[in-house]
Amino acid sequence: MTMETRIDGIAVLDHGGEGPDVVLLHGANRTALDWDPVRPHLSGLRLVAMDLRGHGRSASVSSYEWEDHLADVDAVVRALGLRRPWLVGHSLGGMIAVRYAASRDCAGVVDLDGFGGGVSTLYPGLTPQEVRERRAEQIALYAGAPALTDPGQVEARARATAERFGWDAESEAARARRAEGRPLPGELPALMAPLEGYDLFAEVRGLCVPVLLVSGARTPDLDHLPQHIQELTEALVRGIGRELTALPDRVGVVRLESAGHMVHLDEPAWVGKLIREFVGPSGN
């Protein structure tokens, strides 16, 4: 039975369960309900999902620094008495999980397609100046999008997205209702600011706990973007692929050919199986 609570302004869904403690962290502009399609495939684990600060039913904030996110996870872990939890995150949530493992005590990390993009070395073929300029333009492009706050329109768009990608429509609609249009597009620069200069792959190499990185290998749809922003994204995809290949053998790497960036929604059963087998029945 799921229990919802609020801990220091953070909305938390405690799904219970027997087994190793696992904290689930969603990506930017998503909510804790992102994990609903995956949870049926995570038997044998005690699952806790949280809305990141400024998302879903968590409190509105003005700061999205790494330490703010980590302090939120700390508060949830303490309040629920979690024992050396595993951290599982998607996109921004995956980076938060890695950052947590670098400075806190946890059992291990699963990062689902959360690889950043804040260092110019991840963009082969582009100069550092080109990367800076194009990233700034990309963020400004998304930040300038009109805010969609009408509940009916938000839910309709969520259902259309689910139909397009083959996701569970009811789950996606519930997530959209929970998000209530937050965070607003104008908050994107503050949300993305901590990624600038952050090298996730360097941090992963320094971790002392088990790490599994899961990459969605399907080519993203870029036709709606300006050409130079398409080139930026294509370079990032190449750079991430190169970095994943170069990681030491002790870092687990899985590429899902049938999934894109939203790996946990594209292939919830596969992702659930990967997480369950990686954590294992004696993960703690």
Side-chain angles (χ1 to χ4, degrees):
M1 179 177 177
T2 297
M3 301 291 291
E4 181 161 0
T5 186
R6 183 180 281 252
I7 299 169
D8 289 1
I10 298 299
V12 179
L13 298 176
D14 186 350
H15 298 295
E18 298 294 329
D21 295 333
V22 177
V23 177
L24 302 169
L25 304 169
H26 63 80
N29 300 302
R30 307 291 298 182
T31 78
L33 295 186
D34 252 34
W35 302 101
D36 279 8
V38 186
R39 285 197 298 112
H41 309 287
L42 294 176
S43 58
L45 304 174
R46 191 275 176 90
L47 303 174
V48 174
M50 52 187 278
D51 287 337
L52 298 183
R53 55 179 34 234
H55 291 70
R57 295 179 180 171
S58 289
S60 297
V61 295
S62 59
S63 174
Y64 292 97
E65 296 300 321
W66 291 122
E67 280 302 319
D68 296 319
H69 289 298
L70 302 187
D72 294 339
V73 178
D74 282 338
V76 171
V77 169
R78 283 194 306 268
L80 297 183
L82 304 183
R83 299 165 293 107
R84 201 163 181 260
W86 291 79
L87 279 295
V88 176
H90 167 249
S91 195
L92 175 61
M95 289 179 269
I96 294 170
V98 169
R99 298 243 64 190
Y100 191 90
S103 60
R104 270 75 164 171
D105 184 31
C106 70
V109 174
V110 179
D111 179 353
L112 307 176
D113 217 69
F115 307 128
V119 289
S120 60
T121 52
L122 279 178
Y123 300 84
L126 297 178
T127 67
Q129 181 175 346
E130 288 174 328
V131 171
R132 284 193 301 272
E133 292 174 351
R134 296 188 194 193
R135 274 181 59 81
E137 183 176 346
Q138 182 184 43
I139 292 173
L141 179 67
Y142 289 117
L148 192 60
T149 57
D150 177 81
Q153 291 181 331
V154 170
E155 184 170 335
R157 183 170 67 176
R159 289 183 180 277
T161 300
E163 181 177 351
R164 176 185 177 194
F165 290 107
W167 303 339
D168 182 83
E170 290 306 315
S171 177
E172 191 66 6
R175 182 212 59 79
R177 288 193 297 269
R178 184 179 181 90
E180 295 183 338
R182 304 170 60 241
L184 296 172
E187 296 177 76
L188 184 64
L191 186 60
M192 294 292 102
L195 275 64
E196 292 303 318
Y198 174 56
D199 189 338
L200 176 125
F201 292 102
E203 187 134 87
V204 164
R205 290 186 179 91
L207 294 183
C208 300
V209 296
V211 186
L212 175 64
L213 305 182
V214 181
S215 169
R218 192 174 66 209
T219 303
D221 178 12
L222 305 175
D223 291 343
H224 62 292
L225 296 174
Q227 181 62 35
H228 54 293
I229 302 299
Q230 291 186 36
E231 293 170 357
L232 179 76
T233 305
E234 290 165 351
L236 179 60
V237 169
R238 294 194 303 272
I240 288 172
R242 180 194 62 200
E243 290 295 327
L244 289 171
T245 302
L247 287 170
D249 292 341
R250 63 181 175 77
V251 178
V253 176
V254 174
R255 289 176 61 85
L256 292 182
E257 298 295 332
S258 58
H261 177 59
M262 306 298 284
V263 287
H264 58 314
L265 302 185
D266 290 334
E267 294 288 356
W270 268 107
V271 168
K273 182 174 182 288
L274 288 170
I275 294 170
R276 194 176 66 250
E277 292 181 349
F278 186 67
V279 173
S282 58
N284 278 21

